[in-house]
């Protein structure tokens, strides 16, 4: 079975082809980051228009890379939500239009389920049940994954998503958008002892997160020390250390609470080097296994959508062709029925 995946929830147009026997055959991506960079964030209308321009050329690129034609496609999966509504509409309309023309099924996929399942595309894949930490620009979710579509929410951010906190703090320090990686690179040159930021919501029980206070902490620190030597790198270091520590404390807590020792970490922030190092150390200490998608599939991509679509179709979940995209769509609403 060959499934085309189309991802357009935010500022990346991703198209990929998944084969149920051979895995991902081809994968293409166009990032709009440089287009949005002058505005310091994603401009929704520019994003929608650019998706419309990019999807079909990327589709042709993927088909030629895989030496296939449109007639070889058995189904199309697309990101139905959550995300920017105009961006989602571009992917939905294209996917449903092509599927209608080819008379093949479509599968509307939850973007965060795509991230959640993406480590299964790797050789070192998790086995159910496992824990998942989904950390992106729009979400911070801690999930107990008992089986496909049997997801129990353990915790989430009560305010900013962790990627959002990275991006806002990076902007404050004058770094380019999206700021997660530049901030993390700058932090490597910082002194870990100069500033200490809090580890939010770790002092009381529970698995929820809050990251907006860290961003404010960075702002106040910058206002007080911004023009001193090496202040930007030292603030970056204090911020990254606080975020990584907080995530590790919650992961350890989730493992103790559930008894599970397999952890999937995905979404854009899972590309973070300091976090990956911290998780490997924690894994060694607790006899746990942390699994990540390869770097190119940590951030948004078509491969994870194609694979999630394959599972949805394999489990026989048919779909009404008139389904509307959903800008807001809690993961807990996904059920195996
Ligand atoms: O999953 P993703 O591509 O898009 C959403 O679904 O939101 O995640 C994007 C987020 C951005 O906030 C970006 O700054 C962050 O992931 N990010 C990182 C790193 N690479 C991307 N944050 C920290 N360290 C990184 N290396
Ligand atoms: Zn994402």
């Amino acid at each position: 079975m060959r499934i085309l995946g189309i991802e357009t929830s935010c500022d990346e147009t991703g198209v990929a082809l998944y084969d149920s026997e051979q895995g991902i055959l081809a994968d293409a991506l166009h990032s709009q980051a440089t287009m949005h960079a002058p505005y310091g964030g994603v401009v929704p209308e520019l994003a929608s228009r650019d998706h419309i321009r990019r999807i079909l050329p990327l589709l042709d690129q993927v088909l030629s890379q895989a030496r296939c034609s449109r007639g070889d496609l058995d189904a199309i999966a697309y990101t139905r939500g959550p995300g920017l509504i105009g961006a989602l509409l571009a992917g939905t309309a294209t996917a449903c239009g092509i599927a209608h023309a080819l008379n093949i099924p479509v599968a509307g996929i939850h973007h965060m389920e795509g991230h959640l399942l993406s480590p299964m595309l790797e050789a070192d894949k998790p086995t159910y049940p496992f824990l998942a930490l989904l950390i992106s620009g729009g979400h911070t979710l801690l999930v107990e994954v008992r089986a496909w579509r049997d997801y129990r929410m353990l915790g989430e951010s009560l305010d900013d998503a962790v990627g959002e906190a990275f991006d806002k703090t990076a902007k404050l320090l004058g770094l380019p958008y999206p700021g997660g990686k530049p901030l993390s690179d700058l932090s490597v040159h910082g002194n870990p002892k100069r500033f200490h930021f809090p580890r939010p919501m770790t002092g009381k029980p529970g698995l929820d997160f809050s990251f907006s206070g860290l961003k404010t902490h960075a702002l106040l620190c910058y206002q007080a020390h911004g023009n001193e030597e090496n202040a930007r790198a030292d603030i970056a270091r204090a911020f990254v250390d606080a975020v990584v520590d907080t995530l590790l404390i919650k992961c350890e807590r989730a493992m103790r609470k559930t008894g599970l020792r397999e952890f999937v970490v995905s979404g854009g922030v899972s590309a973070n080097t300091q976090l990956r190092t911290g998780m490997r150390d924690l894994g060694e200490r607790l006899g746990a296994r942390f699994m990540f998608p390869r770097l190119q599939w940590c951030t948004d991509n078509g491969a994870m959508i194609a694979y999630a679509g394959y599972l949805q179709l394999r489990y026989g979940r048919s779909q009404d062709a008139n389904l509307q995209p959903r800008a807001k769509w809690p993961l807990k609403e996904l059920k195996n029925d």
Side-chain angles (χ1 to χ4, degrees):
M1 186 179 193
R2 287 190 170 174
I3 297 113
L4 185 78
I6 299 179
E7 155 63 33
T8 64
S9 66
C10 190
D11 62 345
E12 256 122 15
T13 318
V15 179
L17 185 59
Y18 176 79
D19 180 287
S20 50
E21 306 287 311
Q22 301 171 65
I24 294 293
L25 299 179
D27 174 29
L29 187 87
H30 174 78
S31 169
Q32 304 174 355
T34 48
M35 182 178 82
H36 297 294
Y39 306 96
V42 178
V43 182
E45 187 51 30
L46 292 183
S48 329
R49 289 175 194 208
D50 202 57
H51 285 305
I52 293 169
R53 274 194 291 271
R54 305 285 175 182
I55 299 175
L56 292 179
L58 287 175
L59 166 61
D60 289 339
Q61 188 182 325
V62 159
L63 290 177
S64 94
Q65 241 178 56
R67 296 178 199 285
C68 290
S69 67
R70 292 188 189 188
D72 295 320
L73 300 177
D74 296 305
I76 302 193
Y78 66 94
T79 304
R80 186 181 164 211
L84 301 170
I85 193 67
L88 292 168
L89 268 168
T92 304
T94 313
C96 294
I98 300 173
H100 186 69
L102 297 174
N103 198 23
I104 54 177
V106 278
I109 298 302
H110 193 293
H111 179 79
M112 296 314 289
E113 184 179 56
H115 279 305
L116 191 156
L117 298 171
S118 61
M120 297 212 172
L121 287 166
E122 304 300 339
D124 182 25
K125 45 171 83 47
T127 46
Y128 298 116
F130 58 86
L131 289 161
L133 178 69
L134 308 179
I135 37 180
S136 69
H139 295 86
T140 308
L141 296 172
L142 199 44
V143 190
E144 183 179 342
V145 182
R146 294 168 173 164
W148 180 79
R149 290 282 158 90
D150 188 353
Y151 308 142
R152 189 172 144 230
M153 296 304 133
L154 299 177
E156 64 186 325
S157 178
L158 305 179
D159 41 56
D160 288 357
V162 61
E164 188 181 354
F166 261 103
D167 292 343
K168 288 177 175 169
T169 304
K171 192 172 179 180
L172 167 81
L173 297 178
L175 296 167
Y177 172 85
K181 173 125 186 17
L183 180 61
S184 143
D185 291 347
L186 177 64
S187 76
V188 173
H189 307 288
N191 172 359
K193 302 220 165 78
R194 178 154 174 214
F195 301 119
H196 182 84
F197 283 23
R199 276 55 177 156
M201 299 191 66
T202 55
K204 46 185 179 180
L207 292 167
D208 285 332
F209 304 89
S210 163
F211 290 106
S212 69
L214 278 183
K215 172 196 68 193
T216 312
H217 207 87
L219 173 67
L220 296 175
C221 196
Y222 189 64
Q223 283 170 346
H225 302 277
N227 47 15
E228 295 168 15
E229 203 188 331
N230 217 36
R232 286 167 69 251
D234 294 344
I235 293 172
R237 179 61 184 256
F239 174 86
V240 172
D241 285 354
V243 169
V244 169
D245 255 13
T246 304
L247 292 172
L248 293 178
I249 291 168
K250 297 287 166 135
C251 286
E252 179 168 355
R253 213 175 262 182
M255 287 194 274
R256 294 199 193 284
K257 181 181 160 95
T258 59
L260 296 175
R261 287 290 177 273
E262 284 202 28
F263 231 113
V264 152
V265 189
S266 65
V269 183
S270 70
N272 185 271
T273 314
Q274 291 89 332
L275 182 64
R276 285 180 174 229
T277 307
M279 286 181 163
R280 297 229 157 88
D281 293 348
L282 181 64
E284 273 171 28
R285 183 158 67 76
L286 297 182
R289 205 154 73 99
F290 282 88
M291 283 155 283
F292 307 86
R294 69 192 67 177
L295 282 181
Q296 83 206 67
W297 292 339
C298 285
T299 43
D300 294 347
N301 64 84
M304 66 183 194
I305 301 303
Y307 180 69
Y310 161 66
L311 290 186
Q312 179 158 311
L313 293 160
R314 194 181 78 180
Y315 289 114
R317 299 301 176 277
S318 59
Q319 173 179 333
D320 178 347
N322 297 319
L323 273 186
Q324 298 296 315
R326 291 185 63 175
K328 288 196 190 309
W329 187 6
L331 184 65
K332 60 179 172 241
E333 286 184 16
L334 281 186
K335 292 273 176 321
N336 185 7
D337 50 20

